[in-house]
Structures are given as structure tokens and as C-alpha cells.
Amino acid sequence: MASKADKKNDIRQGILDAAKVYSISLAGKNFLYVYGEEYFEVSFPIDHFLHLTGVETKLSARAFYKDAKKGKLASNQFYFSDRHSFANAKKKLPCLKRLPELTNDIVCILKDMETVSITYRLSVTNLEFTLGLIEGVCSHDEGKRRLFFPRSLRVEDSSVRKSADGEIVDFIFSKDASYTKYTDLLVEDKDKNIPKSIQYLIADRFYESRGREI
């Protein structure tokens, strides 16, 4: 039977693995989700990683992420509580390592998902796990931009039931956060047209190549 130290080290390794995935696939990038005529942008700041792991720490969120990314996070630098239990972290971490699936595959956009502490106006789910998003403002050279940020990773099958509505995504675009326009198309429903409302957000080649459909 695994000791407490072994179990905690497993959690530590899960955090380190998840930080690598977050660093490579999510941090420093923005994602544009389009469904029908509606759309929103999601950013993955490094100081939001900690909250998704389900553990407690006395480190700052930024320091926690940086140590985890470098493989320097020690087992004694995080702990569990009634609010953030070992069982919850053990459940979350495998899904946290799979988080890019919510940017690279067809997903469902949930509206007004209710939890005990907050109602998420928008969430993204693959029906195995759900990312609750909060809205904020990010400053860019061209001005301020409304973005959504990850706040909660929920591993349960009741997210859809707890939401007021849901829609399947039509397109997901990505870009380096420093770029003005989206440069990559990650998910596409070939039966749908790119709405005119996002033309100012995406590279010209996307709507030029589909000009007849727009």
C-alpha cells in the first residue's frame, strides 16, 4: 500500500506534468471560440494555473507555476485542506494534463453554469471535464480587450445539467497572445460559414479563402 509520502509525490508529479503541458500548449496564447454568430476569446495566464490544480500553497500563484514548470516544486510546498482535498486534486490533475483538448477538439459551450460559489456565464466542456471561465480585461497596444480566463476545472458529468443552455462550437482559432489577429484554425465545422462579426479578429487569409461563403 502506498504511503502518504508516495501519494503526495504522485500529486507533485502530476502538477509538474500538467505545468509542462500548460506551458507548451496554453500559456502565452489566446483562443477564439465561435458558435453561430457568437464568439469569445480565452487567455491562459500563468497565475491561473494554481487554482486549476486543486491544491493549497503559501507560494504566490506565479511562483508556484514557475517552480512547477521548472520541475523544482517540492512536496512540502503544497498541501490539502477541506476545501482542496487530496481526492479532488487526484481527480483533477489527469484532466488538467488534457486541458488542450478543450482548445483542439470539438467542444460544447455552456452558458450560466451554476456552482455553489459562482455562476459561470461561459464554460467549455468535452463532457468529461469542464473549464469554468471568468471575464476580465487585457490591455493591448490597440487598446483594451475583453477576455475570458480559466477559474475552475470541474471533473463531473453534471455541468451540462447545471447550465441554462449549451451549443457546439463551430470554429476555434488560436494566436500568440502578442499578435493582433488569430493565425491558426484548430477546429472547423466545414458545413458552417465564418461569421462576418469576427473578420476583424482573424487573419485575412481565412475570410479571403472562404470569401464566397461569408
Side-chain angles (χ1 to χ4, degrees):
M1 185 174 179
S3 66
K4 285 187 177 180
D6 289 337
K7 290 179 180 179
K8 193 170 186 184
N9 193 56
D10 287 343
I11 295 296
R12 172 185 175 273
Q13 189 59 53
I15 293 171
L16 302 189
D17 293 342
K20 288 181 182 178
V21 172
Y22 197 94
S23 171
I24 294 170
S25 301
L26 301 171
K29 296 181 180 180
N30 286 3
F31 299 87
L32 174 64
Y33 291 79
V34 184
Y35 49 107
E37 294 295 322
E38 298 183 72
Y39 63 90
F40 61 92
E41 296 178 80
V42 178
S43 178
F44 289 85
I46 62 174
D47 54 0
H48 282 237
F49 174 79
L50 168 61
H51 198 70
L52 304 179
T53 64
V55 303
E56 302 261 15
T57 184
K58 292 183 179 179
L59 296 173
S60 69
R62 189 172 290 265
F64 180 91
Y65 170 79
K66 288 184 175 180
D67 282 355
K69 177 186 172 184
K70 295 176 181 178
K72 295 181 177 180
L73 185 72
S75 294
N76 63 4
Q77 289 181 297
F78 65 90
Y79 58 95
F80 309 105
S81 65
D82 290 340
R83 187 177 173 211
H84 295 101
S85 67
F86 169 84
N88 194 40
K90 183 178 180 181
K91 184 171 63 173
K92 281 188 174 187
L93 285 170
C95 297
L96 184 53
K97 286 185 279 188
R98 295 172 54 195
L99 202 57
E101 291 179 26
L102 299 185
T103 65
N104 296 331
D105 296 330
I106 294 175
V107 293
C108 183
I109 310 300
L110 302 180
K111 299 180 180 180
D112 298 323
M113 181 181 72
E114 294 185 4
T115 70
V116 174
S117 58
I118 187 174
T119 297
Y120 291 96
R121 188 160 76 84
L122 289 173
S123 303
V124 179
T125 185
N126 62 2
L127 304 184
E128 289 186 63
F129 52 91
T130 302
L131 191 65
L133 304 170
I134 55 172
E135 192 172 8
V137 176
C138 185
S139 296
H140 291 264
D141 291 340
E142 71 271 20
K144 292 184 177 180
R145 200 158 177 168
R146 303 298 297 183
L147 293 174
F148 282 83
F149 306 101
R151 184 183 187 276
S152 176
L153 180 60
R154 309 183 68 82
V155 186
E156 55 181 329
D157 59 4
S158 60
S159 296
V160 174
R161 178 170 53 81
K162 292 178 180 178
S163 302
D165 195 10
E167 297 192 41
I168 302 298
V169 75
D170 296 329
F171 303 93
I172 302 176
F173 296 86
S174 73
K175 71 179 182 71
D176 185 285
S178 64
Y179 293 176
T180 301
K181 293 192 174 186
Y182 285 85
T183 56
D184 298 292
L185 178 58
L186 305 180
V187 174
E188 175 185 18
D189 184 338
K190 295 185 182 297
D191 293 328
K192 299 292 181 65
N193 297 332
I194 299 176
K196 293 181 179 180
S197 56
I198 69 163
Q199 287 187 16
Y200 76 102
L201 289 172
I202 63 176
D204 292 346
R205 60 185 171 84
F206 290 120
Y207 60 85
E208 287 174 353
S209 64
R210 299 178 59 138
R212 296 177 183 177
E213 303 173 359
I214 297 177

